[in-house]
Amino acid sequence: SCGIVHAAGIKATLAARVVARHLDARALVHVHDRNRPSAVVRSLHRLFASPTDLGLCVANAVRDVAVNAYHVRPDRVRVVPNS
């Protein structure tokens, strides 16, 4: 079975979270930019967010988006600078 589902992008990360929930897996939410999902999509991210999800950001500037728009717990967000 698959233990991690990795995705990037507003819609793909939501789909990954849905799949991860069905597989009893963890979602790796990869955030590349500061674009925020619409209110409906943010609500769906909140619904499917799991405490075990990990957020991976390319810069500190997008960390806030991972926490507040994708609903990844702050202690589960990692920043790996894009260099």
Side-chain angles (χ1 to χ4, degrees):
S1 80
C2 179
I4 298 175
V5 180
H6 170 242
I10 293 171
K11 295 174 190 163
T13 53
L14 179 57
R17 282 178 149 169
V18 173
V19 170
R21 175 127 348 146
H22 286 292
L23 294 176
D24 196 28
R26 296 176 179 181
L28 175 57
V29 177
H30 198 160
V31 183
H32 289 265
D33 55 46
R34 294 174 49 183
N35 294 335
R36 293 181 181 271
S38 68
V40 171
V41 175
R42 284 194 310 270
S43 296
L44 290 170
H45 270 285
R46 185 181 308 112
L47 177 67
F48 287 100
S50 169
T52 61
D53 289 352
L54 181 69
L56 183 62
C57 302
V58 297
N60 282 317
V62 297
R63 185 180 189 286
D64 177 64
V65 175
V67 172
N68 296 309
Y70 289 84
H71 301 283
V72 180
R73 288 181 19 194
D75 63 318
R76 302 286 300 160
V77 176
R78 305 294 183 269
V79 176
V80 180
N82 204 10
S83 51

